[in-house]
Amino acid sequence: MNAKSRRFSLEVSLFAKRRRLFSSWAEIVEDQLKAIREAGTWKQERVITSSQSSKIHVQGRQNPVLNFCANNYLGLSDRPEVVQASIDALQSRGSGLSSVRFICGTQDIHKQLEQSIALFHRREDAIIYASCFDANAGIFETLLGPEDAVFSDALNHASIIDGIRLCKASKFRYEHRDVTDLNSKLEGAKDKRIKLIVTDGVFSMDGNIAPLRDICDVADKHGAIVLIDECHATGFLGQTGRGTEEHLGLENRVQIVNSTLGKALGGAAGGYTCGPKFLIDLLRQRSRPYLFSNTLPPAVVGSAIKAFELIDTSPNIIKTLQNNTKLFRESMKKNGFKVLGDEHPICPVFIGDAKLANEMASALLAKDIYVIGFSYPVVPVGKARIRVQISGAHTQEDIEKAVEAFIEIGKSFNLI
């Protein structure tokens, strides 16, 4: 066999090997996809053809639907002042910076937003990221080393879990909202240098609130510090929207606050960490998602600055949300539904079975009520629910229509 023939034979052999490898790899993935479909947990992305609002247009449907599954708590996502602020920033500062912050990606409006965040939370300083997922990914590895320990609530958000995985500290998981268990875990880590307790302020799947006062008391007892993720609290929880601390009558008991610009604060994108200046200085020097991700676009920065202004100057938007939440929760419970959580706009309607939750969500959409069924792996097996999220942009009539639809569908599925 000459050299040309040997080369051809080798190429044929390599091609066959690659094809077998691809086939095997594809089969493994297809088996996983099949299992998801058979379990009834396939997540279908419905396509919205309008702006985010209390009423939206969905591809394939002629009539608008009432939106009860967005994190648009205050209705600011399409509020004219917020949209105009975004346009103004786009026109005056461009579409983007094509750079990370420390090279040539910091504009005056980025510093203005960070100052607004720090003032809002009554902290010394703040640093903005592309998302709160990035904020959570960037803090644990930066702050904690092998001689430290981190204590995380069992139901903390996935971004917290993933962020903790990146650090070299000793890792402890305490039972959900169980301060006794937290105290026990802290007792077993007395020799650690930095002891960091991290908790969601509001747990997004259940709509319940962390026992923050007790957590801070235990932290003080053990010389620990507390980090709270306020994504589902900032802007609307508490009398002036300052979040879980304000809601529970606490005053700066928490050392570190992480939160998002992508929910109540205009709904675009972005996250942040705020706290003592020395911490923020360290994050600017060493936090990898900050150092190696492009700067937040000016349009997003402009809309976020305006959102903070509106929260302080238009307190009625918070009050309207609180009234809407109370109306929905009371009406649903009165009609036999089990609504999980505390008095929060996240109102998980407990279903139990994953397929039933998805089928009911589809039936509700047929009634022009847009909600989503949540099941494993987002929530534990057997604890599927339809998560209803109330907005300050909803009217009383919107709330009543949703409750009426739930009653009709709930009876048809023998849930109530």
Side-chain angles (χ1 to χ4, degrees), residues 178-407:
D178 189 335
V179 180
T180 301
D181 188 41
L182 171 60
N183 182 71
S184 176
K185 297 289 194 300
L186 284 160
E187 289 283 357
K190 289 182 177 179
D191 60 332
K192 294 300 178 179
R193 186 184 62 169
I194 297 175
K195 295 181 279 290
L196 176 64
I197 302 167
V198 56
T199 180
D200 281 336
V202 176
F203 295 87
S204 62
M205 287 300 108
D206 291 323
N208 54 18
I209 298 171
L212 194 58
R213 185 184 300 277
D214 293 338
I215 289 173
C216 290
D217 288 345
V218 169
D220 290 346
K221 173 184 173 184
H222 292 278
I225 59 177
V226 179
L227 184 158
I228 186 170
D229 182 313
E230 287 284 72
C231 286
H232 290 276
T234 298
F236 62 92
L237 194 65
Q239 186 177 354
T240 67
R242 262 61 186 182
T244 306
E245 283 184 303
E246 183 180 61
H247 176 73
L248 296 176
L250 305 175
E251 182 66 30
N252 284 30
R253 291 287 304 277
V254 172
Q255 287 79 16
I256 308 168
V257 177
N258 278 13
S259 196
T260 182
L261 306 172
K263 292 181 171 58
L265 300 172
Y272 57 85
T273 295
C274 60
K277 188 178 185 306
F278 62 81
L279 170 67
I280 305 306
D281 287 345
L282 179 64
L283 293 173
R284 290 195 196 282
Q285 299 303 313
R286 292 189 175 175
S287 178
R288 292 169 71 85
Y290 180 81
L291 291 171
F292 299 105
S293 295
N294 256 22
T295 302
L296 205 60
V300 174
V301 175
S303 65
I305 291 171
K306 177 56 69 173
F308 277 112
E309 290 177 5
L310 288 171
I311 290 168
D312 279 342
T313 59
S314 307
N316 284 340
I317 59 176
I318 297 175
K319 187 63 177 177
T320 299
L321 173 61
Q322 293 169 345
N323 291 339
N324 286 348
T325 299
K326 182 179 180 181
L327 175 62
F328 180 82
R329 283 183 168 274
E330 290 181 351
S331 298
M332 289 290 284
K333 290 177 181 178
K334 179 181 176 181
N335 284 282
F337 288 96
K338 181 179 180 181
V339 183
L340 305 177
D342 301 316
E343 297 306 308
H344 190 276
I346 294 175
C347 303
V349 181
F350 184 79
I351 307 298
D353 181 74
K355 285 186 177 180
L356 179 58
N358 288 332
E359 289 171 0
M360 283 188 63
S362 296
L364 284 160
L365 181 60
K367 296 289 183 183
D368 296 330
I369 305 297
Y370 186 179
V371 290
I372 295 290
F374 283 82
S375 55
Y376 181 83
V378 179
V379 296
V381 174
K383 294 188 177 182
R385 75 283 309 270
I386 293 174
R387 189 177 72 172
V388 177
Q389 290 177 268
I390 307 301
S391 171
H394 288 131
T395 65
Q396 182 176 329
E397 291 74 18
D398 294 338
I399 303 294
E400 291 170 349
K401 182 177 179 180
V403 172
E404 290 169 3
F406 262 100
I407 293 170

